[in-house]
Amino acid sequence: MNKSKRPFTKSKRSFRRRLPPIQSGDRIDHRNMSLISRFISEQGKILSRRVNRVTLKQQRLITIAIKQARILSLLPFLNNQKQFER
C-alpha cells in the first residue's frame, strides 16, 4: 500500500495574520483622537467589538474614551450630514 497519496488532506493555505488595531504602547484615552476615530463609523456610531477585532477590556476602554470625547465636544454625537454629489 502506498500511503504517499492522501486524498483527504487539508490544503495548507497561507493566510496573513491581521495586526491588532491597538498596539501595546497605545494609550486608550479621550485625548488620543487618532486612535479613537478608527473605532467610529461614518455616522458617528461606535463600531462593535467584532468589527474592531479588539478584546472586551479594550472595547470598554474605547467606549468610555469615545463618550468622554463626545461630552468634551471633541467628537460629534451624530454625524447626519448628508453629502449630495452632483
Side-chain angles (χ1 to χ4, degrees):
M1 294 195 141
N2 191 0
K3 289 188 176 182
S4 63
K5 288 186 179 180
R6 294 182 186 165
F8 298 111
T9 57
K10 276 188 176 178
S11 63
K12 289 190 177 181
R13 287 188 302 160
S14 64
F15 64 94
R16 225 176 118 214
R17 195 165 182 196
R18 293 196 61 174
L19 294 171
I22 298 176
Q23 305 301 329
S24 60
D26 289 339
R27 297 237 338 120
I28 302 172
D29 201 348
H30 65 275
R31 287 169 275 165
N32 194 351
M33 295 303 296
S34 60
L35 179 73
I36 289 176
S37 59
R38 283 190 252 161
F39 304 107
I40 297 177
S41 68
E42 289 182 15
Q43 291 85 28
K45 295 181 179 180
I46 301 171
L47 294 173
S48 70
R49 190 176 145 225
R50 236 181 329 144
V51 175
N52 289 341
R53 296 191 175 216
V54 293
T55 63
L56 182 62
K57 193 173 185 179
Q58 288 173 333
Q59 181 70 21
R60 283 197 198 116
L61 291 171
I62 289 166
T63 303
I64 291 167
I66 289 171
K67 289 179 180 180
Q68 285 176 345
R70 284 175 176 167
I71 290 168
L72 294 171
S73 67
L74 299 172
L75 284 175
F77 279 91
L78 291 174
N79 192 8
N80 289 3
Q81 297 174 350
K82 298 209 164 68
Q83 297 173 355
F84 296 107
E85 295 180 11
R86 292 181 183 172

